[in-house]
Amino acid sequence: MPVTSAIHDFVAVITFSNPPVNGLGQAIRRGLIDALNEALENDAVKAIVVTGGSQYFSGGADIREFNTPQVQMEPSLHSVINAYEASTKPVIVAINGTALGGGLELSLGVNYRVASANALIGLPEVKLGLLPGAGGTQRLPRAAGLENALNMIVSGTPVLAKTLADTRLFDRISQGDAQDDAIALAHEVVAAGKPLPHVRDWKIDHPNAEGFLGFSRTAIAAASGPYPAPLRCLDAIEAAVLKPFDEGMQVERAGFMALLETPESKALRHAFFAERAASKVTDIGSDVKPREIKRVGIIGAGTMGGGIAMNFLNAGIPVTILEVKQEFLDRGLTTIRKNYDNSAKKGRMTAEQVEQRMGLLTPTLAYADLGDADMIIEAVFEEYDAKKAVFEQLDKVAKPGAILASNTSTLDVDRIANFTSRPQDVLGTHFFSPANVMKLLEVVRGKATAKDVLATVMALAKKIKKTAVVSGVCDGFIGNRMIEQYSRQAGFLLDEGALPQQVDRAIEKIGFAMGPFRMGDLAGNDIGWAIRKRRYREKPDMTYSKTADLLCEMGRYGQKTGSGWYDYKAGDRTAYPSAEVDAMIVKHSADIGVTRRKIDDKEIVERLIYSLVNEGAHILEEGIAAKASDIDTVYLAGYGFPVWRGGPMFYADTVGLSHVIAAMNRYAKGYQGDAWEPAPLLRKLADAGQSFNTTAKPA
């Protein structure tokens, strides 16, 4: 039963259970109402305690019910809160673990609250572009104080219950089991004949509420950028201060409904569900058991290898790291320690934690020392010969059942797997640089990769706090295959009349973390050069602007050389426009007979994003990505696509696929127009008036 009730003396203890986070789904809501009515009808019951158990009170709405009929079914959360608020017997909530969103709103509707000191308390709805919709904006300011409530609601960041101990929110902060303390409080309330307080009746006490709200409005407006939710949250909180409770609830409801339809909230909700959906692989059920990973081996102690190692060290997993020369090994260990020391200096970890992590790291020059590793990841040069040498060695020393992974960003994982006698144990783990910081992990599933190998790495990704997305095998996988078309268009724009700073400025203006040329300078322009050289051999029909090659021939590889598409100063990462590069671009246009023209920002944005969309459609058709939302997750987590636009495929849905096709047809008539042949899937969906994704609707 999802909701149970037990009598302790004269106290009815109502416990609800809906793993993993006690979401307030329809069955829970119905059960809470039934249990309340049963307790109210039982003359032996004098008080009621509501608990989510020993670990979790409630994480709020049950996201598994979104887009299902259960969302609309009564009793709603409002109905549950109203019923408990109207109880004629005292109700005490016992919060162990966490109370977020609707879980906290439910607790605000009862008479008394007891929370364990380290319980997480919050209203995170703003992170989905919404505001708390079940009274949170009205009751929390009354219970926790105006300033506390505003900070919690506008930021969406949970706080520890003990930090709110001096407010009216909690009647008792428990150092043990909140349920035991709640039962004890119930006895006290009944014995003393205490009244039944209601948060809705409390006044907000603040020495200068209107002045504080005015100051906050200015600050929030400056900080909220493209997101409308923070100011809408403030509107509702302001109503809690200035209006009677019921009128404030109307303002809250109106704000919630308005935000529900904003493109920003739709994009944020899409991103939220897309990330969770990415972790689920259709053909891998609960019957597939992951392998145990107690120790990891890393081949290569350079920038990528060291960064990859840190992910596992941070998760408490011992790492053996191998290099071919002692000097390379020493340099890698020094860099890892330096990274940790810098974190310690910034207060992100203690000196003891630094030593603890470094103590999990074992350096070696011998492949034999990797024999006890449960998973081995190579992070060597992006060349088949280098990969072949490594995997042939691993095939000899790795124990049976060890997972062998390649950190390749573009190469054929099936070909790499065939360098071993155990292709079923091989897959790709494409970490993004810097690997200890970037969230994205592309997990590349080879044709022979065993299901339990894939399940193991997907579970391990969660443990090391990565957003994992499964990709099939192709050149560049999902992210880099698409970014190549984006980069091609960026180059063609230079040929036709744009300059790097204009292209970057246009795409950054709509929310990208950085434009293609700043991105190239950061990653290293020589990396793209090496890929293009391979393309010239393998795909001679694919055309590129020669400007990027000319740049590399000038030795301008990016920030690491002090010059790339932009000029850089020592110790300064600011990208300064380069007269030398601009002159090279203009001369190149003349050399190839292209008359330069004025290009507006709209064209720049459309050509860059629609090139991603079209290649994404090919990737979906080929089954490289299982679903469009996986592609969006890759670009949100790894390529700086603005979250409030939902990813390239969601962005195309928002614009309308017929409009995307119309724009592509226009560009097909211009320079390098053969790059604009619509993918069959894109054309099919556009013709049918359909979209890549369906937008999730919250409760």
Side-chain angles (χ1 to χ4, degrees):
M1 292 288 292
V3 180
T4 59
S5 184
I7 307 298
H8 294 253
D9 295 329
F10 52 78
V11 179
V13 177
I14 298 172
T15 304
F16 61 97
S17 177
N18 183 20
V21 298
N22 268 356
L24 296 169
Q26 199 276 333
I28 296 293
R29 299 194 303 271
R30 178 76 267 163
L32 285 171
I33 291 285
D34 291 344
L36 173 65
N37 290 335
E38 182 181 320
L40 292 175
E41 292 168 4
N42 187 341
D43 292 339
V45 171
K46 305 300 181 186
I48 301 162
V49 167
V50 181
T51 175
S54 61
Q55 300 298 320
Y56 227 102
F57 182 69
S58 174
D62 188 340
I63 64 172
R64 293 170 296 191
E65 290 190 355
F66 286 17
N67 284 338
T68 70
Q70 283 90 340
V71 168
Q72 304 298 331
M73 292 175 66
E74 283 288 343
S76 66
L77 181 56
H78 281 281
S79 298
V80 174
I81 293 172
N82 290 339
Y84 275 83
E85 194 169 48
S87 171
T88 55
K89 298 177 181 181
V91 181
I92 301 99
V93 154
I95 298 174
N96 280 313
T98 300
L100 300 177
L104 178 57
E105 288 176 303
L106 172 61
S107 75
L108 286 164
V110 307
N111 307 118
Y112 300 96
R113 284 155 295 283
V114 176
S116 58
N118 292 319
L120 276 177
I121 308 299
L123 294 172
E125 288 83 354
V126 73
K127 294 184 177 181
L128 294 181
L130 298 170
L131 56 73
T137 65
Q138 303 306 296
R139 291 187 178 92
L140 189 62
R142 288 171 161 85
L146 178 58
E147 294 188 24
N148 286 329
L150 186 141
N151 289 335
M152 290 172 65
I153 293 170
V154 170
S155 73
T157 303
V159 301
L160 294 176
K162 61 186 177 185
T163 65
L164 300 169
D166 60 348
T167 72
R168 293 190 291 180
L169 177 59
F170 298 116
D171 299 275
R172 190 161 296 173
I173 296 294
S174 174
Q175 300 303 322
D177 188 325
Q179 179 176 319
D180 291 342
D181 288 343
I183 293 173
L185 178 59
H187 279 81
E188 294 174 20
V189 169
V190 172
K194 290 185 177 181
L196 306 184
H198 297 122
V199 174
R200 62 175 289 152
D201 297 331
W202 296 351
K203 293 186 182 299
I204 295 173
D205 185 20
H206 192 281
N208 183 16
E210 292 192 34
F212 172 71
L213 290 169
F215 169 81
S216 298
R217 185 172 296 279
T218 301
I220 293 168
S224 56
Y227 300 102
L231 282 172
R232 279 283 192 170
C233 288
L234 179 61
D235 290 342
I237 294 168
E238 185 175 62
V241 174
L242 302 178
K243 297 176 181 292
F245 181 83
D246 288 335
E247 290 183 25
M249 285 294 291
Q250 292 174 11
V251 173
E252 178 187 272
R253 188 61 181 169
F256 181 87
M257 296 306 295
L259 288 171
L260 200 61
E261 296 304 317
T262 62
E264 294 82 7
S265 179
K266 289 178 179 178
L268 289 170
R269 277 142 46 202
H270 170 73
F272 177 85
F273 290 113
E275 183 172 329
R276 280 148 186 78
S279 66
K280 298 175 176 62
V281 184
T282 305
D283 65 335
I284 297 181
S286 58
D287 58 315
V288 178
K289 302 303 178 187
R291 301 181 188 181
E292 194 171 16
I293 304 296
K294 294 182 177 179
R295 175 173 286 274
V296 170
I298 307 288
I299 312 292
T303 301
M304 283 304 300
I308 293 169
M310 289 177 69
N311 290 294
F312 295 100
L313 300 175
N314 293 342
I317 300 173
V319 172
T320 301
I321 191 164
L322 178 145
E323 259 296 356
V324 294
K325 292 183 180 181
Q326 187 66 46
E327 61 183 288
F328 297 161
L329 195 56
D330 292 343
R331 187 185 307 150
L333 295 178
T334 298
T335 300
I336 293 172
R337 176 171 282 281
K338 182 180 178 182
N339 287 338
Y340 280 135
D341 285 342
N342 286 338
S343 293
K345 288 177 184 176
K346 295 174 182 176
R348 295 173 183 164
M349 62 173 58
T350 65
E352 183 182 9
Q353 288 173 320
V354 171
E355 295 307 320
Q356 184 182 46
R357 284 164 171 73
M358 292 302 296
L360 294 171
L361 184 61
T362 302
T364 186
L365 298 174
Y367 271 90
D369 290 339
L370 299 173
D372 62 345
D374 302 296
M375 179 177 180
I376 305 171
I377 304 169
E378 67 77 13
V380 302
F381 297 118
E382 189 75 344
E383 297 173 353
Y384 281 116
D385 288 345
K387 308 289 189 189
K388 185 173 187 289
V390 167
F391 276 86
E392 286 178 346
Q393 284 291 325
L394 293 181
D395 206 29
K396 296 173 185 176
V397 303
K399 66 182 181 182
I403 295 173
L404 308 181
S406 173
N407 183 52
T408 178
S409 58
T410 57
L411 300 182
D412 187 334
V413 170
D414 290 329
R415 181 175 171 184
I416 293 171
N418 287 330
F419 296 148
T420 76
S421 60
R422 45 175 120 176
Q424 73 279 1
D425 293 330
V426 179
L427 82 174
T429 50
H430 178 205
F431 289 83
F432 285 69
S433 184
N436 56 307
V437 175
M438 294 293 286
K439 282 184 60 181
L440 180 62
L441 174 63
E442 277 186 314
V443 181
V444 187
R445 183 182 195 175
K447 63 183 178 183
T449 302
K451 288 186 178 181
D452 65 335
V453 168
L454 184 60
T456 301
V457 174
M458 294 300 285
L460 189 61
K462 287 186 179 179
K463 191 169 185 179
I464 63 173
K465 299 182 179 178
K466 295 297 183 189
T467 300
V469 178
V470 176
S471 171
V473 175
C474 68
D475 199 332
F477 316 129
I478 296 172
N480 282 346
R481 174 171 161 181
M482 289 169 63
I483 208 70
E484 182 173 34
Q485 300 306 321
Y486 173 92
S487 298
R488 285 179 73 211
Q489 284 302 316
F492 295 153
L493 285 163
L494 297 187
D495 290 351
E496 292 180 78
L499 293 173
Q501 55 269 28
Q502 182 196 356
V503 175
D504 284 349
R505 185 174 59 247
I507 200 71
E508 290 166 10
K509 188 176 180 181
I510 73 157
F512 276 65
M514 62 178 63
F517 299 107
R518 285 181 60 213
M519 182 176 68
D521 279 358
L522 179 64
N525 295 309
D526 52 327
I527 295 173
W529 196 21
I531 293 171
R532 287 191 301 279
K533 287 177 180 177
R534 179 161 61 86
R535 290 285 190 274
Y536 297 151
R537 297 191 303 270
E538 297 172 355
K539 298 181 179 179
D541 293 337
M542 185 177 287
T543 56
Y544 297 85
S545 167
K546 294 296 182 182
T547 52
D549 292 353
L550 294 171
L551 186 81
C552 290
E553 289 170 9
M554 295 162 68
R556 300 180 66 103
Y557 294 162
Q559 290 187 16
K560 62 187 175 184
T561 59
S563 64
W565 293 104
Y566 297 92
D567 292 332
Y568 298 91
K569 299 175 183 178
D572 182 1
R573 290 180 176 269
T574 304
Y576 295 95
S578 169
E580 181 182 22
V581 170
D582 291 352
M584 176 270 287
I585 292 168
V586 172
K587 181 178 183 301
H588 176 66
S589 297
D591 290 345
I592 60 175
V594 173
T595 301
R596 295 179 66 80
R597 64 182 177 87
K598 182 176 176 60
I599 301 176
D600 63 27
D601 287 358
K602 180 184 177 185
E603 178 178 344
I604 291 171
V605 169
E606 287 187 342
R607 286 174 60 174
L608 293 181
I609 296 182
Y610 295 170
S611 65
L612 292 175
V613 171
N614 198 43
E615 194 64 23
H618 283 299
I619 285 171
L620 285 171
E621 284 178 294
E622 296 168 21
I624 300 302
K627 47 194 176 294
S629 62
D630 285 354
I631 295 174
D632 288 332
T633 299
V634 165
Y635 268 80
L636 294 172
Y639 289 85
F641 201 100
V643 178
W644 54 280
R645 294 192 185 274
M649 312 312 280
F650 183 84
Y651 180 84
D653 290 344
T654 303
V655 171
L657 301 191
S658 61
H659 291 287
V660 174
I661 290 281
M664 291 176 66
N665 288 339
R666 289 198 308 273
Y667 299 131
K669 298 174 183 176
Y671 179 70
Q672 301 292 353
D674 58 350
W676 290 109
E677 177 61 33
L681 176 62
L682 174 57
R683 191 179 291 282
K684 176 183 175 183
L685 292 173
D687 289 346
Q690 296 177 329
S691 61
F692 290 116
N693 294 287
T694 54
T695 305
K697 300 276 187 183

